[in-house]
Amino acid sequence: MNFNNVLHILGLFLFFLGLAMIPALVISFYSQGGDLKALAGAFFATSGAGFILAILFEKTEEKISLTRREGFLIVTLAWVAAAAFGGLPFLIYGVTPTFADSFFETMSGFTTTGASVISGLDHLPRGILFWRAFTHWLGGMGIIVLAIAVLPVLGVGGMQLYKAELPSPVKDKISPRVVDTAKLLWGVYVLISLAQFFLLMLGGMNAFDAACHTFATMGTGGFSNYDASIGHFQSLYIEGVIIFFMAVAGMNFALHYRLFTGDFKSFFSDGELRFYLLIILVATAVVTIDLHLNLFYEMGKALRSSLFTVVSIITTTGFVTDNFDQWPLPSRIIILLLMFIGGCAGSTGGAIKCLRILLIIKHSYLEFYRLIHPHAVVVVKLGKQTVPADIMASIRSFFFLYISTAIAATLCMAFLGLDLISAFSAVATTLGNVGPGFGLVNPLSNFFEIPQAGKWILSFCMLLGRLEIFTVLVLFIPDFWKK
Amino acid sequence: MKVIIVGAGEVGYNIADVLSREGHGVTMIDQDELKLQEIAEKLDVLTVHGSGSSPQVLRKAGLDGADMIIAVTNSDDTNMVACLLASSQSNVGYKVARIRNAELNGTSVIFDKNHLNIDLCINPEREAVKNALNLIEFPGATEIIDFVDGRIKLIGFSVGPDSQVIGKTLRELRLLYPRTKVLVTSIIRKEKILAPTGDTSMQGGDYVFAVSASDELREMLRIYGKSGEALKKVLIMGGGNTGFMLAEALEARGLSTKIIEKRSGRCEDLAAMLEKVTVLHGDGTNQELLQEENIQNTDCFIAVTDDEEANILGALLAKRLGAKKSIALINRVEYMPLVSTVGIDGVINPRHAAVSKILNYIRKGKIVSATPLHDERVEAYEVVALETADITDRPIKDVKFPPGTIVGAIIRREEIMIPDGDSVIRPEDHVIIFTLRSTIPKLEKMLTVKLDYFE
């Protein structure tokens, strides 16, 4: 392990993170909301710390080439550092009383969870609100991936970082070079974001709200500028635009890129995408009927509420228009399940991902097939591609680890005094990077009441969920540190 | 530039390594999935599993937008089909194929525009033979690379233990031997590359790269304590393609040549194809056979079988039994530094030769020739100085070269100059430049950056 290079890159990254605060700083300067000092302080502290770190630890080679281990370490450290330093504006301004709160809020931002400890959003200054939403947008496509795209010094080492930050069950590099891949992905991301921004403006949102809600939608985050979330606007048009773009953000961005290059065929024939749309369709239908029958919503309202909520939860965004904690049990169970499913691989969404669920279903089906035809040679296929056995194995381990983590964290939360529904849904919603849960953490309330220790545990869950478990947990394996 | 490389063997891997580090988009195709996984781990390239002769696989690898295809599998047929598909199914600008068949070479009709339309054929074996012939001609050297059609040679050798240069600085040497045009470009001391200055002094055991005009090479090697006599009796171990081509070339030069081959059938073929060469049936690592064939009076033993470990052992054995010089064919770069320490005098490396020829081709235009050296950390370039480049019309000492870069020679029409700090490069000069691989993009920019301005 070359710690010089690790810390040097970490320094560069922090410096870069500091620069990312400049837009919020500018907005704060023009809106005069009294948060300029907090943002400026955070800006200087972050970029200053990064600058010092990068100078203190000089890189040992012209173009840094990283090992896999260094890749895992840098990415995990970078995310923790991002949450720690990125939370400084909240801490200094005082909107979060303790470091644990600011860390939670920022981790929730960067991991695109959208679980908040802040209430009274409607009265917060614009600089703070902007930075809060902006963390979603940065974290959505991956802060490290953005750094790879703009920092040439990462060179070849970028590949290891890319793999550690965007672990994907299947290969989806869209260009031979990782730098180009990162640039293309961010390019697509920016274009789609611009489209949403203008569509929201058309619907009568002011530019500031449109920008913040675009960030939160495209990153599948869920921070809103209002306590009532999207419910604040009471507009069918805005809900429609947001439903569409949440769904888009929950799809694989490599497919969007292909769509931009005119390759419609591979977009619509993608097995995972079809599966994802199917789940949305079925879940919406069931919830609509449930709301209509048991809660006596009229059909139009039931459909509007259920479609918005289903898309918001499966893409792990977490915007709300209706308090689903009040819904009948069948609907609540479906919502809870969706928290575990998540968006497509290669999207900005979190949780287990449709691709893994789909492959596990196929794999389980083949087990039955093998019972009937003991001599059959069978392979799991995705479209026309065979999924290699080792990838299947790693998907199964992921599934196992994901569920075990959820159970272990629920147990911890229970020790801290939460009831079962609150504990389990709080863990499911943070691990899946969704946002709202049930019980204590229902859509209308927030995570402020959770004890300090619980906030650290849930922050850790968010990190695990965003980096897909392995990247973080591998650091706790003793072999990782052996020379 | 988008490049597709078919075949993830040693040659393919090394080219992919160099090109991806220089910022080109590389896609590799191979049938061995494990090998591809390993490559995807190490290099920043895209890998596609499948056969390089399959149109579908090539399309998946992005044939439509590719600028160049390099087909370097072990199979000539696959390579030719891949290149053919590249020109028929798409419009790939440059096509390079590795062709091992000795009956075909770059000038064969089937490679021209109307048939297969392949721009460059490389034959690692043929390159290896060229290499071996150079080493036989200049026995003191471990590596020899031709520049400017062979008029300038770059040689790598270790300084002899009783050479008169030991302890002298390069500046003193220049005064002592004013008439020999030699420039020491890099010294490898204890596995580290030094960029020498006038004050660097020579030590015994240094491995030196130097540039010299061909006709002064012998004199230079004498000064550095390496015997300069040409060899007369050669024994070749291994009668494969390389062995055969080598024997044929040596025969044509009138050297007394013997060739040892294990397979009796192949021996008969060799005997039929070669006129004066003595063909021996047996194992080249067999001591009795070597003694029987008078190994102690042999000037040079060259081991060129497919098995590189056997080549090393054979060369060592022959050396111990009294061969004046032993040369081994080695493909793996890792073995290169080992070889001179164990006492083998020279190395031929077909893969290395093939890689350098391909790189050379890729950098064509302003760069005439590029050759990776020693562990591939250093590269030598032959470039044509452009009027617009930053390096012309000023003393070399004022040119801001990246660190570690040295101008080895300037060739102006017929005249060869070994430059010092006050020499001036003029437009149209051929210049030989040495540089560390890490600074190549910077250097390439220097050589060409202003060109874009006028185009």
Side-chain angles (χ1 to χ4, degrees):
Chain A
M1 192 87 66
N2 186 332
F3 286 103
N4 252 1
N5 285 345
V6 170
L7 292 170
H8 180 78
I9 291 180
L10 203 62
L12 287 179
F13 169 76
L14 271 181
F15 183 69
F16 180 71
L17 184 74
L19 297 187
M21 293 178 184
I22 291 180
L25 208 57
V26 172
I27 284 178
S28 154
F29 181 77
Y30 283 105
S31 64
Q32 301 280 337
D35 51 351
L36 189 62
K37 248 195 238 162
L39 280 161
F43 163 72
F44 285 117
T46 310
S47 46
F51 188 71
I52 290 168
L53 204 59
I55 290 208
L56 223 53
F57 298 92
E58 244 180 284
K59 59 184 172 175
T60 51
E61 48 203 317
E62 178 75 19
K63 287 234 170 179
I64 299 173
S65 55
L66 297 169
T67 63
R68 285 195 91 164
R69 291 189 201 186
E70 286 160 3
F72 291 134
L73 185 63
I74 290 175
V75 168
T76 308
L77 285 180
W79 277 80
V80 173
F85 281 90
L88 289 180
F90 307 135
L91 192 64
I92 301 175
Y93 184 73
V95 66
T96 52
T98 66
F99 182 65
D101 287 309
S102 77
F103 189 87
F104 180 93
E105 187 76 13
T106 320
M107 187 58 102
S108 167
F110 280 119
T111 58
T112 73
T113 305
S116 184
V117 293
I118 302 174
S119 46
L121 291 169
D122 309 39
H123 310 294
L124 280 183
R126 288 194 157 184
I128 292 281
L129 284 176
F130 185 88
W131 172 242
R132 188 164 163 270
F134 199 53
T135 57
H136 272 336
W137 197 65
L138 291 176
M141 192 44 82
I143 23 182
I144 304 275
V145 173
L146 180 59
I148 293 170
V150 297
L151 293 178
V153 36
L154 291 175
V156 194
M159 188 179 47
Q160 297 298 350
L161 298 180
Y162 180 85
K163 276 197 275 188
E165 192 185 42
L166 287 188
S168 164
V170 287
K171 263 188 297 189
D172 59 352
K173 240 174 160 190
I174 48 179
S175 163
R177 297 182 64 224
V178 69
V179 179
D180 298 336
T181 305
K183 279 183 187 156
L184 288 174
L185 286 177
W186 265 91
V188 171
Y189 190 53
V190 168
L191 277 179
I192 301 179
S193 300
L194 279 175
Q196 190 194 353
F197 174 73
F198 287 117
L199 285 176
L200 286 178
M201 293 264 290
L202 266 176
M205 254 197 210
N206 63 41
F208 178 74
D209 279 348
C212 289
H213 287 89
T214 298
F215 293 149
T217 312
M218 288 312 296
T220 68
F223 280 156
S224 171
N225 292 345
Y226 304 97
D227 286 332
S229 191
I230 304 301
H232 170 88
F233 298 100
Q234 296 296 335
S235 152
L236 182 62
Y237 172 83
I238 286 175
E239 280 174 37
V241 170
I242 286 184
I243 288 176
F244 177 76
F245 282 96
M246 285 194 295
V248 165
M251 295 173 193
N252 188 340
F253 274 74
L255 285 181
H256 291 323
Y257 169 71
R258 301 232 159 81
L259 203 60
F260 276 117
T261 59
D263 184 0
F264 297 95
K265 202 175 141 234
S266 72
F267 185 85
F268 292 107
S269 66
D270 186 71
E272 184 191 16
L273 184 70
R274 289 174 165 200
F275 182 64
Y276 165 73
L277 295 176
L278 182 76
I279 299 175
I280 293 181
L281 201 69
V282 173
T284 309
V286 175
V287 173
T288 306
I289 292 168
D290 186 38
L291 292 185
H292 179 65
L293 293 184
N294 294 324
L295 221 55
F296 312 111
Y297 278 25
E298 54 182 281
M299 272 313 260
K301 190 187 173 203
L303 183 67
R304 179 174 163 183
S305 255
S306 71
L307 182 64
F308 188 93
T309 308
V310 165
V311 173
S312 168
I313 299 299
I314 194 175
T315 58
T316 75
T317 310
F319 277 143
V320 281
T321 50
D322 196 353
N323 184 1
F324 55 72
D325 196 35
Q326 305 293 328
W327 287 3
L329 191 59
S331 292
R332 278 191 284 157
I333 290 178
I334 287 175
I335 300 293
L336 191 63
L337 282 178
L338 291 177
M339 285 182 185
F340 280 92
I341 294 175
C344 299
S347 70
T348 59
I352 294 176
K353 307 261 156 76
C354 288
L355 183 64
R356 291 200 180 89
I357 305 273
L358 179 64
L359 289 177
I360 285 201
I361 292 174
K362 287 190 176 198
H363 185 79
S364 312
Y365 171 74
L366 285 182
E367 287 301 313
F368 284 112
Y369 191 81
R370 236 192 288 258
L371 287 176
I372 304 168
H373 305 280
H375 294 282
V377 176
V378 286
V379 286
V380 182
K381 278 193 180 170
L382 186 70
K384 284 179 185 159
Q385 292 266 330
T386 306
V387 181
D390 54 338
I391 288 184
M392 271 322 296
S394 98
I395 289 176
R396 284 198 303 271
S397 320
F398 179 84
F399 198 78
F400 168 76
L401 280 174
Y402 195 90
I403 304 295
S404 331
T405 311
I407 294 171
T410 304
L411 191 65
C412 295
M413 297 307 289
F415 270 117
L416 295 171
L418 270 71
D419 64 285
L420 178 64
I421 293 290
S422 303
F424 188 64
S425 71
V427 168
T429 200
T430 46
L431 193 58
N433 299 146
V434 182
F438 298 104
L440 191 60
V441 291
N442 74 61
L444 291 186
S445 137
N446 67 23
F447 286 70
F448 187 72
E449 299 297 330
I450 303 276
Q452 290 270 327
K455 282 177 186 148
W456 288 112
I457 293 169
L458 295 179
S459 299
F460 188 63
C461 283
M462 292 189 250
L463 183 65
L464 279 178
R466 177 60 180 84
L467 299 181
E468 309 220 324
I469 299 189
F470 287 113
T471 298
V472 181
L473 283 192
V474 72
L475 303 187
F476 296 90
I477 306 292
D479 256 1
F480 182 88
W481 299 100
K482 275 191 190 140
K483 285 198 175 143
Chain B
M1 190 165 65
K2 286 198 173 115
V3 186
I4 297 178
I5 298 179
V6 184
E10 288 265 334
V11 177
Y13 176 85
N14 277 277
I15 294 168
D17 186 18
V18 173
L19 293 183
S20 64
R21 272 174 213 277
E22 285 172 15
H24 300 291
V26 179
T27 309
M28 286 203 100
I29 302 177
D30 200 282
Q31 292 190 301
D32 183 345
E33 206 157 9
L34 278 179
K35 208 184 258 172
L36 287 180
Q37 263 175 26
E38 197 180 309
I39 285 173
E41 247 341 271
K42 282 190 203 153
L43 305 181
D44 189 8
V45 301
L46 202 63
T47 58
V48 175
H49 178 231
S51 161
S53 54
S54 140
Q56 217 182 343
V57 171
L58 282 172
R59 180 150 308 125
K60 208 172 138 202
L63 191 65
D64 291 334
D67 301 300
M68 176 182 254
I69 184 164
I70 301 174
V72 287
T73 66
N74 282 329
S75 147
D76 285 3
D77 305 355
T78 307
N79 297 344
M80 286 195 256
V81 172
C83 287
L84 187 59
L85 286 170
S87 48
S88 58
Q89 306 251 316
S90 169
N91 201 13
V92 178
Y94 299 98
K95 292 157 294 272
V96 179
R98 171 182 181 179
I99 304 292
R100 308 178 83 182
N101 188 338
E103 289 167 33
L104 298 171
N105 62 32
T107 58
S108 300
V109 173
I110 68 157
F111 299 129
D112 70 13
K113 285 264 177 290
N114 300 321
H115 299 92
L116 284 173
N117 196 5
I118 293 175
D119 302 283
L120 173 72
C121 289
I122 41 157
N123 182 340
E125 282 89 2
R126 187 166 289 134
E127 300 304 315
V129 169
K130 259 192 218 163
N131 223 317
L133 289 175
N134 255 332
L135 288 174
I136 289 168
E137 200 172 334
F138 300 100
T142 313
E143 298 172 64
I144 301 187
I145 290 129
D146 287 344
F147 286 103
V148 206
D149 307 321
R151 279 163 54 209
I152 287 207
K153 289 196 194 309
L154 166 73
I155 64 166
F157 58 93
S158 52
V159 176
D162 35 76
S163 159
Q164 46 203 331
V165 301
I166 290 174
K168 297 201 172 73
T169 64
L170 293 179
R171 187 169 291 127
E172 288 167 346
L173 284 174
R174 183 164 277 210
L175 294 173
L176 273 171
Y177 307 101
R179 286 184 314 120
T180 33
K181 292 178 189 160
V182 173
L183 185 82
V184 174
T185 56
S186 0
I187 298 174
I188 293 160
R189 185 174 293 164
K190 294 186 186 115
E191 294 294 308
K192 284 222 173 92
I193 300 177
L194 310 178
T197 63
D199 301 318
T200 311
S201 67
M202 286 297 192
Q203 293 180 9
D206 280 358
Y207 191 84
V208 175
F209 281 109
V211 180
S212 157
S214 295
D215 39 355
E216 287 163 20
L217 204 56
R218 243 172 259 286
E219 174 67 8
M220 177 186 113
L221 283 168
R222 198 187 55 73
I223 296 169
Y224 281 84
K226 310 297 274 189
S227 92
E229 288 167 44
L231 308 172
K232 294 199 173 59
K233 287 181 188 165
V234 180
L235 182 58
I236 302 169
M237 164 181 157
N241 263 344
T242 318
F244 167 69
M245 284 195 278
L246 184 58
E248 205 180 21
L250 292 175
E251 187 180 60
R253 294 188 177 198
L255 273 69
S256 146
T257 312
K258 292 172 186 169
I259 185 165
I260 304 178
E261 167 60 39
K262 262 187 192 169
R263 298 160 293 177
S264 63
R266 177 69 182 169
C267 284
E268 277 168 34
D269 293 348
L270 288 173
M273 288 186 290
L274 297 164
E275 292 290 323
K276 292 179 195 151
V277 176
T278 313
V279 179
L280 305 165
H281 177 223
D283 188 346
T285 50
N286 179 338
Q287 186 165 345
E288 276 166 38
L289 176 66
L290 290 178
Q291 277 166 336
E292 217 171 85
E293 291 303 325
N294 217 357
I295 186 76
Q296 65 273 22
N297 287 330
T298 302
D299 293 319
C300 183
F301 178 91
I302 308 185
V304 290
T305 68
D306 288 339
D307 180 347
E308 44 193 330
E309 284 83 8
N311 290 343
I312 297 177
L313 288 176
L316 281 175
L317 184 65
K319 184 88 185 174
R320 200 177 67 84
L321 292 176
K324 291 204 186 64
K325 176 174 176 139
S326 63
I327 296 172
L329 179 149
I330 292 171
N331 268 321
R332 286 171 58 173
V333 195
E334 296 92 323
Y335 287 169
M336 302 282 277
L338 261 176
V339 167
S340 51
T341 29
V342 295
I344 293 174
D345 304 288
V347 174
I348 46 179
N349 188 334
R351 184 195 53 72
H352 199 92
V355 171
S356 80
K357 190 141 187 209
I358 292 173
L359 290 183
N360 172 353
Y361 177 76
I362 292 170
R363 293 170 182 153
K364 199 152 95 176
K366 300 102 202 171
I367 292 166
V368 182
S369 148
T371 308
L373 305 170
H374 199 83
D375 290 7
E376 321 218 329
R377 280 175 294 174
V378 187
E379 262 193 53
Y381 277 67
E382 180 184 336
V383 304
V384 179
L386 294 163
E387 209 166 321
T388 50
D390 282 338
I391 57 169
T392 51
D393 290 329
R394 61 186 81 172
I396 288 175
K397 60 175 186 230
D398 293 342
V399 178
K400 287 197 184 66
F401 281 115
T405 306
I406 288 178
V407 177
I410 301 173
I411 301 97
R412 190 167 301 152
R413 283 179 221 98
E414 293 307 307
E415 191 190 352
I416 294 172
M417 288 172 290
I418 303 297
D420 53 35
D422 295 321
S423 306
V424 177
I425 299 169
R426 304 259 177 238
E428 297 307 309
D429 285 357
H430 280 240
V431 183
I432 296 176
I433 296 179
F434 292 79
T435 191
L436 301 177
R437 179 159 278 176
S438 51
T439 61
I440 285 175
K442 224 180 271 174
L443 184 68
E444 278 189 333
K445 219 172 164 197
M446 272 189 87
L447 295 171
T448 57
V449 71
K450 286 189 183 163
L451 189 78
D452 305 329
Y453 226 57
F454 294 90
E455 266 175 356

